[in-house]
Amino acid sequence: MHQEDDVKLPSRRALLGMIGQVAGGAAMYQAMSSIGYAAESDYRGPVKLSRAKPGATVLVLGAGLAGMTAAYELRAAGYKVQILEFNQRAGGRNWSLRGGDRYTELGGATQNVDFAKGNYINPGPWRIPYHHHAVLDYCKRLGVALEPFIQVNYNAYLHNTNAFGGKPQRFRHLQTDLQGNVAELLAKVTNQGGLDQAVTKEDRERLLEGLKAWGTLDKDYRYVASSATSDKRGYEIDPGGGLMPLAKASQPIDLKDILGSGMWAQVNSGNLYEFQSAIFEPVGGMDQIGKAFERELKPLIRYSTKVTRIEQSANKVTVTYVDADKGGAPRQASADWCVCTIPLSILSQIDVQVGDPMKNAIAAVPYGASVKVGLEFKRRFWEEDEQIYGGISQTNLPIRNISYPSTGFFSKGPGVLLGCYAFDNVHAFRFTAMSPEERVRAALEMGAQIHPQYKSEFKTGVAVAWNRVPFINGCYARWTNELREQHYQNLCAVDGRIVLAGEHASYIPAWMEGAILSALDAIERLHAKAQAA
Amino acid sequence: MFKLLPAVATATALLAGAPATHAQTAAPQPTLTSQQLAASFSTNTARFTQQGGETLYRSICQGCHMPGGEGAHSGAGFFPDLRKNQKLAAGAYPALVVLNGLHGMPPFGHQLDDQQVADVVNYIRSNFGNQYSDVLTPQVVSGMRPATK
């Protein structure tokens, strides 16, 4: 904040208390829960490892972003590197599904993706915050083209089945009106003497001035229909040219309806550090990052390789594996050192020769559930009928989000929506427990409450439930503070000749940044040990 | 939660399928209409509001342990096979796993009440080729929860 504008506002606690008094506990809770917490990336630029000892070898388990980051940097330092990968492709959770792709989940259900050429869905990560410096730097170094990801769209919807008769509301309306109504209330409290104890007279005047600007209040500190408020929330009739109809201000939503909407947290979600502008996506699908790494490392990767045992002795690591598709006799690979990026959900089921502290840590961390459904429609009705270009509509329905593509605007022909993003709640489990076909139908049924065009425009869909993804059995490591206190150090420490890496060994779980930072930190420590050995 | 509320009761009943039997495998699942599917979700994001052992199994467990209890064995790891499973001999073991999780399996203790935990454990122990006739009570489940919830 600029020095001259340094208005001394009441403390956050005082403000929340006031909101609680005037709007009730539920509103206060919403306001509190919208105050987010986010971990900051600690990337300090490309890792600089000294020259490895001649002939030193490393076995990397997993060709996801963590494994490939480790392999890329260790090879550059002079190590001879081999990567073992379960899938027939590299990338891990960095993954996109396109027309022509075939995906078989655990349980055997196979989906043949039928999207039109150029359309895709990212079942895993789908956006890169501007402060995920490591991911962005690798994109730059590996030549991955990025484009803006539209997170907040003022013309997208907020929808709650229990508010406004279930009618979706434009984000700009709720956002502006919430701010305006809260400003009016706070001004009222201030003018009635409610803040006389909390702030000085001078500051009360500054507060009122600030509220007027922030909440678009009139000279009497009221939030009413006017060209000023319509300049923020939009007009009922937009200003035109020539003899077109005169502009008409739009009518704000009543305070009572705003308070009853239960949508405060949704209005604020775009303010979270992780979701603030600018935020990016790779051109052509998130898997472009994995593919870029794969281009660099392809000769090092052994695909379709299922690890069954990890052993170590005083001078080497030996990994036993079988062919994931054909089975057959177990084979072995050995190296001086090992970077293991196998997710804990899988690693906890593998015989790993490490000490009890690491073993207990591997066994301790549950994996979260998450489900995404991609829906392709015959035309971009959200653009053509509703002027929604990218961004996310939010709902209290189990689908939670409808995300519109941030690319290909105004194009004719089929477009793909993210029609469901259930994440780490009871609904994610319910979706997982359905067949893929049922997930698509459920997402369509719910989404049609927001976009009635769903029913007539639907073309095809694909559904990915992470618990049923064969290489991971879950979505991400669901740490709690208690678990971290007990196990995190032990999970990350080098055990003999083995170090673990991945989003599960980071404080940025479920994000690609966590995977890459974890790998960079792990190889620095492993390398230091290797140099000293 | 949905506009489809009147369908909830029907969907829940359909989700539970035929009356529980001691068949070797679970009863085949009926095909639900899209409305019934949408109405089969919990009415709350923090807790499962579905009731009854079979409905809870169909709403949660079969996501990993599969509709017939067979688990999964074709991937990088596995999901345990619940059929004729001797680890289910004492109801306390599956109840503890449901409450606290195990390895990658998350804990469900904060999302299910004692009755729901007992119901789903009793369902698993009397289906999928399991024929354990003793019944786990909600009181016993309650005693298995940590002192501080």
Side-chain angles (χ1 to χ4, degrees), chain A residues 1 15 19 50 56 76 138 143 148 169-170 186 252 260 326 329 350 356 381 384 393 401 471 489 502 519 521:
Chain A
M1 195 181 280
L15 183 60
I19 295 172
S50 56
Y138 277 99
Q169 303 295 305
R170 297 285 187 181
L186 193 48
K326 302 184 196 94
I350 294 174
D356 284 343
F381 57 79
E384 294 173 4
S393 287
N401 282 171
F471 61 88
Q489 292 284 334
D521 181 67

Side-chain angles (χ1 to χ4, degrees), chain A residues 212-424:
Chain A
K212 202 184 257 184
W214 182 71
T216 327
L217 306 182
D218 68 9
K219 62 179 175 37
D220 300 319
Y221 301 101
R222 291 177 313 156
Y223 180 69
V224 293
S226 68
S227 58
T229 54
S230 289
D231 278 344
K232 292 188 174 169
R233 71 192 306 286
Y235 288 77
E236 188 177 324
I237 300 174
D238 276 343
L243 297 179
M244 287 177 177
L246 283 178
K248 188 178 175 193
S250 60
Q251 191 60 44
I253 302 166
D254 280 349
L255 170 65
K256 192 176 176 310
D257 292 331
I258 295 275
L259 295 177
S261 73
M263 291 174 171
W264 289 44
Q266 291 167 313
V267 170
N268 272 313
S269 66
N271 294 335
L272 290 174
Y273 188 40
E274 287 172 337
F275 299 145
Q276 289 168 11
S277 297
I279 184 164
F280 302 95
E281 65 180 16
V283 175
M286 189 53 85
D287 68 350
Q288 297 305 306
I289 300 177
K291 285 182 190 299
F293 270 109
E294 190 179 24
R295 275 195 294 278
E296 300 286 332
L297 298 166
K298 193 134 198 172
L300 312 186
I301 306 175
R302 190 186 195 286
Y303 298 91
S304 298
T305 301
K306 176 173 168 169
V307 171
T308 57
R309 179 183 281 186
I310 303 167
E311 295 164 285
Q312 59 177 327
S313 66
N315 51 19
K316 66 173 181 175
V317 178
T318 302
V319 173
T320 306
Y321 60 86
V322 294
D323 188 295
D325 303 316
K326 302 184 196 94
R331 302 175 67 172
Q332 291 191 322
S334 291
D336 300 333
W337 307 95
C338 175
V339 179
C340 175
T341 71
I342 297 174
L344 302 181
S345 48
I346 304 298
L347 194 59
S348 60
Q349 300 180 331
I350 294 174
D351 186 8
V352 190
Q353 199 178 14
V354 291
D356 284 343
M358 183 183 274
K359 209 174 254 183
N360 293 337
I362 291 169
V365 188
Y367 268 54
S370 172
V371 175
K372 278 188 179 172
V373 178
L375 302 173
E376 184 173 68
F377 295 93
K378 293 173 209 159
R379 65 183 182 95
R380 294 176 168 239
F381 57 79
W382 53 93
E383 296 184 0
E384 294 173 4
D385 304 350
E386 293 162 288
Q387 293 74 52
I388 298 173
Y389 305 99
I392 298 172
S393 287
Q394 302 178 73
T395 172
N396 70 327
L397 289 167
I399 53 172
R400 201 171 63 121
N401 282 171
I402 294 176
S403 175
Y404 313 93
S406 291
T407 185
F409 301 115
F410 304 103
S411 59
K412 288 197 190 315
V416 170
L417 293 176
L418 177 66
C420 165
Y421 183 21
F423 187 82
D424 197 29

